Amino acid sequence: MTSIAVESSLTFVYETLIDLASNADRQAARAAQLDDTRASSALFVLADELRVMATVVKEADPDPAAFDLLDAGRVQVATAALRFDAAERGAADEA
């Protein structure tokens, strides 16, 4: 693979990790609004782990741990978003 292709792949993984970290931060804030401190803390920790891994990926080739974290993070953030959406809809229906 050429150095441009490798750099492009690394940039894509880095940007994906950073984007997911931002999404985790948003879901953590939603969890806090819903008084779910456990979920909020877990999502803020995930966001931090994703940013740390992004820094590692930016400096070297990603190892399987980066992709494992990315996959697990996507599931955790998506699950949280669905759960908070349902909680917000339930609260709106009660109002």
Side-chain angles (χ1 to χ4, degrees), residues 17 20 46 50 53 63-75:
L17 286 163
L20 188 57
L46 174 62
L50 289 163
M53 186 60 74
D63 62 1
F67 296 104
D68 292 343
L69 179 61
L70 190 56
D71 290 340
R74 285 180 179 161
V75 170

Side-chain angles (χ1 to χ4, degrees), residues 2 10 13 18 21 41 43 48 52 60 71 75 79 86 88 93:
T2 66
L10 292 176
V13 173
I18 292 298
S41 294
L43 287 161
D48 185 53
V52 169
D71 290 340
V75 170
T79 302
E88 289 170 352
D93 290 344

Side-chain angles (χ1 to χ4, degrees), residues 17 20 26 34-35 37-38 56-57 59-60 65-66 75 80-81 84 87 92:
L17 286 163
L20 188 57
R26 281 192 290 280
L34 295 168
D35 293 325
T37 54
R38 179 174 283 170
V56 170
V57 166
E59 296 171 359
V75 170
F84 302 148

Side-chain angles (χ1 to χ4, degrees), residues 9-33:
S9 296
L10 292 176
T11 300
F12 177 76
V13 173
Y14 170 81
E15 289 174 355
T16 303
L17 286 163
I18 292 298
D19 185 53
L20 188 57
S22 296
N23 287 330
D25 282 334
R26 281 192 290 280
Q27 296 309 317
R30 289 178 73 193
Q33 287 178 330

